[in-house]
Amino acid sequence: MFEQIERVPGDAILGLIDAFKKDSNPQKVDLGVGVYRDEQGNTPILRSVKEAEARLLKNETTKSYIGSHGDPRYGKAILSLVLGEDSPVLAANRASATQSPGGTGALRLAADFIKTQLPGKRIWVSDPTWPNHLGIFHAADVELHKYPYVDADNRLDFDGMLAALKEIPEGDVVLLHACCHNPSGFDLTQAQWKQVLEVVKARQLLPLIDFAYQGFGDGLDEDAYGVRLFAENLDELLITSSCSKNFGIYRERTGCLIAIAKDSEQMENVRSQFAIVARENYSNPPAHGGSVVIEILESAELAAQWRDEVAEMRNRINGLRRDFVEALKPHGLDERFAFIAEQRGMFSYTGLSGEQVDRLRDEYSIYMVRSGRANVAGLVNDNLPYVAKAIADVVK
């Protein structure tokens, strides 16, 4: 039977990893893979995570199953982190948390829930969006459409976005990025979030907010503005959360699907369906990453250390954005690329064409996704002048 199976192209980003490893150029730069890197180019284990793991190694007593919803302590910790400790939604017992294998697993749970429990509902995603959004919802057989987000001049097209949202059929699902939009880096202002909320209410849309980068934009609470605004003003909401970036535990696959319902009874109805979807996908989520998060957030000492480390990562990324624009100034390109300093998160839609990206790779060993998306965290102070000159060479 296997004789009939065709080979398909591999994932583009994973392909970049292989090509980068094989490149012998000592000046090579990886701006493709979506992980945080420090000034030495490493993806470090946070000090708070190391300490939490040491405590777990000493005190953990079992490796038994944790249930389809995951560890209740993890769910409680993530709900407080995402919605705020003083959230009226939590006080009213309207929110449910289901631990998942990463943010990707949470999105797949949401996709399967939409397919089985909201039959016929379409999902609308930004153009552009994280490419795997498309794969996840196609795999779940949910009809998918796009709304404008970035215009031809590589700017946030908020007017186009708002106009498109007003035309979405009532009752459909709209996917929004909470912060650090992947791949563009363009985020909504608080005023824009309020306008989107009014359209969502008027069209009776179900928002699915992807919250993969909490703390990497402007702050742990600041980045949650849109999420908390929607949670406190809507009867129904889905949120996917990830601990990969802000805890630096990428390979531990630690995420969460949050549902907010009109009241506690409806919340329990939705929660029961999440358990079935999880059971049919993977039965139980992996426990280690969630246990690390619990250990950190339930310890005042470790939580304070972790918040400082998130701030360190955020400040480094935002500083690199400003420094990169400054590095382009000698080439007369600082105004052209000034938007990079205004974007948030690890990613930047640079506006470079596919051909220009190819030249950067082939002539300068600078690797990024062919759409022009660059991982700013892949820059270090030593390679900023080299990357700036290379970009100047390919755009002139």
Side-chain angles (χ1 to χ4, degrees):
M1 293 183 184
F2 288 177
E3 293 176 358
Q4 309 302 316
I5 296 176
E6 297 180 357
R7 183 178 303 179
V8 297
D11 180 86
I13 295 178
L14 297 181
L16 281 179
I17 295 175
D18 292 336
F20 180 80
K21 287 179 178 178
K22 295 175 181 177
D23 195 323
S24 60
N25 186 343
Q27 290 186 292
K28 64 183 179 179
V29 181
D30 182 3
L31 304 181
V33 183
V35 296
Y36 173 81
R37 289 196 172 95
D38 60 18
E39 184 60 31
Q40 287 70 47
N42 301 318
T43 301
I45 301 175
L46 301 188
R47 298 182 296 278
S48 55
V49 169
K50 273 288 193 184
E51 176 59 27
E53 289 185 313
R55 295 183 185 184
L56 284 173
L57 183 63
K58 179 180 179 180
N59 299 320
E60 192 174 45
T61 59
T62 182
K63 293 292 186 181
S64 185
Y65 294 118
I66 58 174
S68 294
H69 286 297
D71 192 317
R73 292 165 60 202
Y74 173 81
K76 181 180 179 181
I78 294 300
L79 285 173
S80 294
L81 182 65
V82 170
L83 299 177
E85 292 182 2
D86 300 324
S87 169
V89 175
L90 295 183
N93 197 29
R94 294 176 47 216
S96 165
T98 297
Q99 187 173 339
S100 62
T104 302
L107 284 161
R108 181 56 193 256
L109 289 181
D112 286 347
F113 172 78
I114 291 166
K115 177 64 178 179
T116 59
Q117 300 303 310
L118 307 174
K121 300 301 182 185
R122 292 146 292 201
I123 188 162
W124 298 72
V125 302
S126 63
D127 185 13
T129 194
W130 181 46
N132 210 24
H133 281 151
L134 311 183
I136 290 167
F137 287 98
H138 281 314
D141 197 26
V142 176
E143 185 178 333
L144 187 143
H145 298 272
K146 299 179 181 180
Y147 59 83
Y149 196 79
V150 176
D151 63 21
D153 296 324
N154 197 37
R155 298 285 179 176
L156 174 65
D157 184 10
F158 182 69
D159 290 340
M161 172 189 181
L162 207 61
L165 294 183
K166 290 177 180 178
E167 298 300 320
I168 294 178
E170 288 190 4
D172 273 3
V173 182
V174 58
L175 190 149
L176 302 165
H177 296 234
C179 68
C180 307
H181 185 276
N182 181 4
S184 76
F186 293 116
D187 284 351
L188 302 180
T189 65
Q190 292 187 5
Q192 289 169 336
W193 272 110
K194 291 177 181 177
Q195 292 182 67
V196 173
L197 172 63
E198 292 308 310
V199 174
V200 166
K201 290 168 69 175
R203 301 299 298 167
Q204 299 181 49
L205 305 177
L206 175 62
L208 168 57
I209 304 183
D210 191 354
F211 202 5
Y213 302 95
Q214 185 175 5
F216 269 39
D218 293 304
L220 288 162
D221 292 318
E222 292 85 349
D223 292 348
Y225 176 82
V227 175
R228 295 175 186 178
L229 176 73
F230 276 48
E232 294 171 17
N233 288 276
L234 295 173
D235 288 341
E236 298 171 348
L237 175 65
L238 298 176
I239 306 161
T240 56
S241 171
S242 171
C243 296
S244 294
K245 278 73 178 178
N246 54 14
F247 285 87
I249 50 175
Y250 302 87
R251 65 174 61 174
E252 306 301 349
R253 310 314 302 134
T254 308
C256 190
L257 174 59
I258 296 171
I260 293 172
K262 185 176 182 179
D263 53 45
S264 59
E265 183 176 357
Q266 289 186 14
M267 182 272 287
E268 291 294 346
N269 293 342
V270 172
R271 180 175 172 81
S272 70
Q273 295 293 340
F274 284 180
I276 292 175
V277 173
R279 174 69 173 165
E280 292 173 347
N281 268 282
Y282 49 79
S283 182
N284 279 238
H288 181 71
S291 297
V292 169
V293 172
I294 293 167
E295 196 72 32
I296 291 172
L297 295 183
E298 288 187 351
S299 162
E301 173 195 358
L302 290 184
Q305 183 181 36
W306 170 71
R307 288 176 179 271
D308 288 344
E309 290 181 288
V310 173
E312 288 176 16
M313 292 187 287
R314 177 177 66 250
N315 292 336
R316 168 174 154 70
I317 292 169
N318 289 339
L320 280 171
R321 289 184 174 280
R322 295 188 294 270
D323 293 345
F324 184 52
V325 174
E326 190 67 23
L328 289 165
K329 184 177 285 187
H331 306 285
L333 294 174
D334 52 315
E335 291 188 11
R336 175 172 172 177
F337 289 95
F339 58 84
I340 291 178
E342 301 167 6
Q343 295 167 332
R344 284 294 176 266
M346 294 195 300
F347 301 115
S348 171
Y349 230 38
T350 61
L352 297 173
S353 68
E355 291 74 19
Q356 290 167 336
V357 170
D358 290 343
R359 284 192 60 194
L360 286 173
R361 181 191 65 234
D362 296 339
E363 299 175 24
Y364 300 93
S365 297
I366 297 173
Y367 291 78
M368 67 176 70
V369 183
R370 204 165 187 272
S371 65
R373 188 204 79 171
N375 177 14
V376 179
L379 295 168
V380 296
N381 288 328
D382 288 347
N383 66 28
L384 278 173
Y386 176 72
V387 175
K389 183 180 185 305
I391 288 177
D393 289 346
V394 302
V395 300
K396 289 182 178 177

